[in-house]
Amino acid sequence: MLVDQITLNDLAIFHPEEEYSIFHRLNFTQTNVGKEWLRHFFSEPLSDIEKIRGTQRILRTLMERAAEWPKEISNGTMHVIDRFFDYQLGFISSSHNKVSALTYRLFNSGDYSMVRYSVMHFADFYRGLKVLLGLLQNTELPRQLAAHLERIDSLLREKPLAELAALDPKQKLSIQENLYFAYYLRGAYKSRTLELIDIFGRLEAWHSMALAMQRFGLQFPEFVAGSQPQLHSKGLYHVLLRQPVAYDLLMDPAQNFVFLTGANMAGKSTLIKATGAAVYLAHLGMGVPAAHMRLTLFDGLLSNINVTDNIVKGESYFYNEVQRIKNTIVKINDGGKWLVLIDELFKGTNMQDAMKCSLTVIKGLVKMHNSLFILSTHLYEIGEDLRGYPNIAFKYFETTVENDQLSFSYQLREGISNDRIGYVILRREKVVDLLESLGGNV
């Protein structure tokens, strides 16, 4: 599924501040290699339904054993292994007799300390992989998962690795034994160990996805075939919210355009981002934050939410809004199935101009039945000019005001909202009083 950087930013798939990042919220990896593989998976939403279902099968398998994941492999263990491979270690002879071992320790005491410390961490790593193999034995495994486990099993049969995997954690090795293992780990088995680390990182990333599904109650979506896009969700919510309110949303060829209105803070942006995030997660093969979701495979996902100006290039906010809409139209005109999310179109110009521009854009977009659109706007007046389009679903979030106190139900209703609460908020926050008092002491 095609997703550009602007959309990734709009949906907060990744974000430098962890509390705003979906990736961080769903990251349960314990090692850097696992985290990087998870980032890789999150960066490449899938376009093949069989690959998506393959990932779903892997996650289902791992969810059954998620709590039994081996504790032997920590990020500290992986860090020690990396340092050992990078460390400028003194030459270790292939002769593993007692004399050469004692000589090495005498003349390379610092290097030997590194060897002794590192070998035990290698043992932890191989032992953890052995536990992982035992965890999933006698289980019918998805083909891709089975292939990785078979490779682990094959490599762990190599004599030095098998010996370390079988080592008792409390057992102390002799100088000869430590140098014996160090010799092979730095030589013939370095590339094999690096391969095992890479395989483990991939498995840990999948385990993290499975664990996130359990922790947050995510449900696997149902993908359906179809030449035209559809999206049915029940109990949809945003995965970043601690106490979310769920929505039901139905979009299909008969009504492929949602015209969304409501006051500021009523929930429009949250619904748009929740929908985009859920569709994105679905295309990773993950579960989604919804009680149930049924959707077609999408070719692309585009958003127009957090448009900014560009002072360096001399581009205004409105100009960049226009360019984003232009690029969107060009992309979705390829005949593919797209989900397009637009939040508060044309905020960068005056109301009359924004109404005219918005109406023009919407009347053009509703002709495109190959895509689904959710467009929010505070310009409820243009809704009346769109009543004649049968494929537009009019939805709104209601707001109740009583004694300057705002109440939001966050429930999606049928129709168009004409709520305007800006002045109410201005007055409630005492800004009006402050303004009226200006100059009073002069």
Side-chain angles (χ1 to χ4, degrees):
M1 183 173 69
L2 298 176
V3 182
D4 62 14
Q5 189 60 48
I6 292 176
T7 302
L8 288 175
N9 293 339
D10 281 346
L11 299 180
I13 303 301
F14 303 102
H15 197 282
E17 296 183 53
E18 293 182 343
E19 63 181 306
Y20 302 118
S21 165
I22 291 176
F23 171 78
H24 174 73
R25 177 85 162 150
L26 302 182
N27 173 26
F28 287 91
T29 60
Q30 298 297 313
T31 70
N32 288 336
V33 66
K35 183 177 181 180
E36 288 311 306
W37 265 109
L38 184 65
R39 186 182 298 277
H40 173 75
F41 289 154
F42 265 66
S43 301
E44 297 190 355
L46 301 168
S47 300
D48 185 293
I49 189 63
E50 286 309 313
K51 288 184 179 180
I52 290 174
R53 288 173 177 157
T55 300
Q56 288 182 345
R57 286 191 290 269
I58 290 171
L59 299 189
R60 282 193 177 95
T61 301
L62 294 179
M63 284 171 70
E64 295 174 2
R65 301 284 191 276
E68 304 168 53
W69 193 255
K71 304 293 192 297
E72 289 83 355
I73 305 175
S74 67
N75 197 50
T77 292
M78 307 303 277
H79 180 64
V80 170
I81 292 174
D82 285 341
R83 281 190 60 199
F84 180 77
F85 283 143
D86 292 337
Y87 187 80
Q88 296 299 312
L89 198 65
F91 173 75
I92 299 176
S93 171
S94 59
S95 172
H96 308 301
N97 61 61
K98 191 171 182 179
V99 173
S100 65
L102 288 171
T103 302
Y104 188 92
R105 181 182 182 184
L106 179 63
F107 292 101
N108 300 275
S109 59
D111 288 354
Y112 179 73
S113 294
M114 167 62 79
V115 166
R116 183 180 59 185
Y117 182 67
S118 300
V119 166
M120 297 310 296
H121 284 278
F122 275 91
D124 287 338
F125 176 59
Y126 301 133
R127 195 183 301 113
L129 292 178
K130 189 175 179 180
V131 171
L132 190 55
L133 289 175
L135 183 66
L136 295 170
Q137 69 179 357
N138 301 322
T139 304
E140 185 176 348
L141 300 175
R143 180 178 55 81
Q144 193 175 6
L145 182 58
H148 288 306
L149 293 173
E150 286 170 7
R151 183 58 177 162
I152 292 174
D153 184 54
S154 173
L155 291 174
L156 286 185
R157 291 179 185 273
E158 300 283 350
K159 187 173 182 288
L161 307 191
E163 290 171 338
L164 281 174
L167 194 66
D168 188 310
K170 297 179 181 179
Q171 181 179 342
K172 294 195 175 189
L173 298 176
S174 67
I175 301 172
Q176 283 177 269
E177 289 171 322
N178 277 318
L179 292 175
Y180 160 78
F181 287 121
Y183 172 80
Y184 284 110
L185 292 174
R186 293 276 291 197
Y189 294 97
K190 178 178 178 179
S191 61
R192 291 170 173 83
T193 299
L194 291 175
E195 182 183 353
L196 286 170
I197 289 173
D198 189 66
I199 293 173
F200 173 77
R202 187 188 294 259
L203 297 179
E204 190 190 21
W206 281 327
H207 171 255
S208 174
M209 294 164 75
L211 204 56
M213 288 186 58
Q214 289 185 329
R215 295 287 179 89
F216 297 110
L218 308 184
Q219 302 297 318
F220 284 115
E222 176 191 356
F223 279 90
V224 294
S227 59
Q228 291 184 299
Q230 59 176 288
L231 173 62
H232 301 178
S233 61
K234 287 188 175 295
L236 171 68
Y237 60 93
H238 200 295
V239 73
L240 288 181
L241 296 181
R242 304 293 176 178
Q243 294 181 312
V245 175
Y247 322 99
D248 293 343
L249 184 65
L250 169 61
M251 302 182 72
D252 57 24
Q255 288 194 313
N256 69 316
F257 197 111
V258 172
F259 183 83
L260 184 61
T261 54
N264 290 330
M265 303 192 302
K268 302 190 302 297
S269 297
T270 301
L271 170 62
I272 287 174
K273 292 177 181 179
T275 303
V279 169
Y280 191 90
L281 291 175
H283 284 73
L284 299 181
M286 276 195 76
V288 299
H292 177 71
M293 176 176 281
R294 185 170 72 254
L295 73 164
T296 47
L297 190 70
F298 285 91
D299 296 295
L301 171 60
L302 280 173
S303 67
N304 185 332
I305 298 175
N306 299 315
V307 178
T308 59
D309 59 4
N310 191 318
I311 296 174
V312 175
K313 291 185 177 181
E315 296 170 353
S316 70
Y317 186 95
F318 178 70
Y319 176 83
N320 282 338
E321 283 188 297
V322 171
Q323 290 303 308
R324 183 62 176 166
I325 287 297
K326 177 182 176 181
N327 292 336
T328 297
I329 294 169
V330 170
K331 285 185 177 180
I332 67 177
N333 199 31
D334 63 354
K337 296 191 286 288
W338 290 78
L339 174 63
V340 181
L341 308 170
I342 303 173
D343 190 23
E344 299 288 4
L345 190 58
F346 298 126
K347 298 186 286 287
T349 187
N350 65 72
M351 181 175 288
Q352 292 303 316
D353 203 22
M355 289 173 62
K356 183 176 181 180
C357 292
S358 297
L359 202 54
T360 300
V361 168
I362 294 171
K363 286 183 176 180
L365 293 179
V366 295
K367 301 174 186 176
M368 306 188 74
H369 296 278
N370 61 296
S371 297
L372 300 183
F373 301 88
I374 304 179
L375 181 145
S376 78
T377 181
H378 57 282
L379 306 173
Y380 67 86
E381 296 92 343
I382 65 176
E384 293 305 317
D385 293 313
L386 300 171
R387 291 287 192 184
Y389 292 90
N391 60 320
I392 296 182
F394 296 94
K395 308 283 185 180
Y396 77 97
F397 287 106
E398 64 182 352
T399 305
T400 303
V401 182
E402 187 174 342
N403 297 324
D404 282 355
Q405 296 301 309
L406 303 175
S407 176
F408 304 106
S409 70
Y410 302 112
Q411 295 298 317
L412 204 54
R413 310 292 189 191
E414 298 284 340
I416 299 174
S417 167
N418 61 2
D419 291 335
R420 295 201 185 279
I421 63 170
Y423 187 77
V424 173
I425 295 174
L426 201 70
R427 188 171 62 230
R428 189 190 70 177
E429 297 302 313
K430 308 300 182 184
V431 176
V432 174
D433 292 342
L434 287 170
L435 290 168
E436 291 176 348
S437 69
L438 291 177
N441 296 324
V442 178

